[in-house]
Amino acid sequence: MMKNVILWIAALILTLGSAYYQRTTGPTYPIRGKVQLGYETIKYKLIRTYGGPDNAEISIDEPTGKIKGIFTYKRFKSYDEWTEVSMVNMGGKLVAYVPHQPPAGKVEYMIKLTDGTNTVELTEEPVIIRFKGHVPAYVLLPHILLMFLAMLFSTRTGIEVIARGSRTFTYTLFTTIFLLIGGLFLGPVMQKFAFGAYWTGWPMQGIFKFGDMTDNKTAVAFIFWLLALYMLWKNPEKRGWALVAAIVLFLVYMIPHSMLGSEIDHTAMPQ
């Protein structure tokens, strides 16, 4: 019993670590940093995803009222000219708004700060923010829970194989079920709410285009787990297949979330 508890704790720690890494390295995670402007140190957090029905607010703490901000933006993948507006100081914050876009629409923006003598750009490259539709909690929360459980049971299955335990088939079955419901059923439903399409992975964007990497990596992981489940059902001694599937899913989780996600290419449309 104690050994089983220890193995579950190890699986939980590995799962939490991989989930944290995936979330904090993806293209939707806010960009944080700080810059020096004269004697002032300005800290910032620039959002890169927005799911509201209105314009996306970009704000920077600036309680002194002495610093002005210039906000420059244009639609990503477009022939638009850059638009430049002055940020407004409201309640100790410099505020600007990114015009609302349809689901999967992206805008790139840059911020310049000045105190009248010194000027600094917050980032060297434009920040890209992607808009998305509202995903209901009754879809989002089960999806997150089931995908977490899939990763947890996947990791525990891999550990079970290494420890030569007797529950490999059972854990494999649970992993496959969680991945099926959370990834291949609720995943596309969430994608439909957020970006208007159930599946944008290969080959929906073209035979030579990968499309949405989130869809692709879910499909690849599920295929490996389905194969592992079949091989174990045929022969319980073939535990190595479950270990391979666990490694594949772990590598999948190392791919940042929303990498190569859905986006609108305005250059492919009539100007």
Side-chain angles (χ1 to χ4, degrees):
M1 177 64 71
M2 181 56 65
K3 178 183 178 181
N4 190 42
V5 171
I6 292 174
L7 293 181
W8 272 110
I9 292 175
L12 180 61
I13 292 173
L14 287 172
T15 301
L16 290 173
S18 62
Y20 176 79
Y21 171 82
Q22 185 194 61
R23 286 291 177 181
T24 57
T25 56
T28 59
Y29 193 71
I31 294 178
R32 302 172 185 265
K34 59 183 179 180
V35 293
Q36 193 70 30
L37 184 62
Y39 297 105
E40 298 289 337
T41 300
I42 310 296
K43 295 182 179 180
Y44 59 86
K45 182 180 77 170
L46 306 177
I47 61 173
R48 294 195 285 174
T49 185
Y50 188 70
D54 52 356
N55 298 334
E57 180 181 300
I58 309 297
S59 63
I60 300 171
D61 290 335
E62 205 296 284
T64 69
K66 300 177 181 178
I67 296 175
K68 298 184 182 301
I70 303 297
F71 185 75
T72 308
Y73 68 92
K74 71 174 182 175
R75 292 183 302 174
F76 182 67
K77 285 193 175 180
S78 75
Y79 298 111
D80 297 351
E81 298 292 334
W82 287 96
T83 298
E84 184 177 289
V85 298
S86 297
M87 301 182 74
V88 180
N89 197 313
M90 296 190 304
K93 293 183 177 182
L94 289 173
V95 178
Y97 293 92
V98 181
H100 183 75
Q101 303 294 309
K106 293 182 177 181
V107 173
E108 51 185 329
Y109 67 90
M110 299 187 72
I111 296 176
K112 184 193 310 181
L113 302 179
T114 179
D115 60 5
T117 302
N118 307 289
T119 302
V120 64
E121 298 270 4
L122 292 191
T123 57
E124 294 183 1
E125 299 293 332
V127 178
I128 299 175
I129 179 173
R130 179 173 66 163
F131 286 75
K132 61 182 181 180
H134 173 69
V135 180
Y138 64 81
V139 174
L140 179 62
L141 295 181
H143 167 73
I144 294 175
L145 175 61
L146 289 170
M147 292 306 293
F148 179 82
L149 289 175
M151 183 59 192
L152 176 61
F153 272 80
S154 171
T155 305
R156 182 63 183 86
T157 305
I159 295 175
E160 187 76 358
V161 173
I162 295 173
R164 302 188 66 82
S166 59
R167 301 182 179 92
T168 301
F169 180 81
T170 301
Y171 293 156
T172 298
L173 177 61
F174 275 107
T175 302
T176 306
I177 292 174
F178 290 143
L179 201 54
L180 172 64
I181 301 174
L184 294 186
F185 176 68
L186 290 178
V189 173
M190 193 173 73
Q191 178 91 344
K192 177 65 175 178
F193 276 110
F195 303 116
Y198 286 107
W199 188 266
T200 56
W202 190 89
M204 302 306 293
Q205 302 301 313
I207 194 69
F208 298 111
K209 293 183 179 180
F210 286 111
D212 193 320
M213 191 58 71
T214 300
D215 290 344
N216 292 334
K217 65 185 185 181
T218 302
V220 169
F222 179 75
I223 290 172
F224 271 90
W225 276 106
L226 193 62
L227 180 60
L229 183 66
Y230 174 76
M231 298 302 291
L232 285 169
W233 176 69
K234 295 286 289 184
N235 185 354
E237 295 300 317
K238 294 187 176 181
R239 292 187 295 268
W241 286 94
L243 181 58
V244 171
I247 293 173
V248 168
L249 187 56
F250 180 79
L251 293 177
V252 158
Y253 261 68
M254 291 299 100
I255 300 174
H257 189 67
S258 296
M259 181 67 70
L260 299 179
S262 303
E263 65 180 21
I264 297 175
D265 185 358
H266 297 284
T267 62
M269 302 177 182
Q271 294 190 47

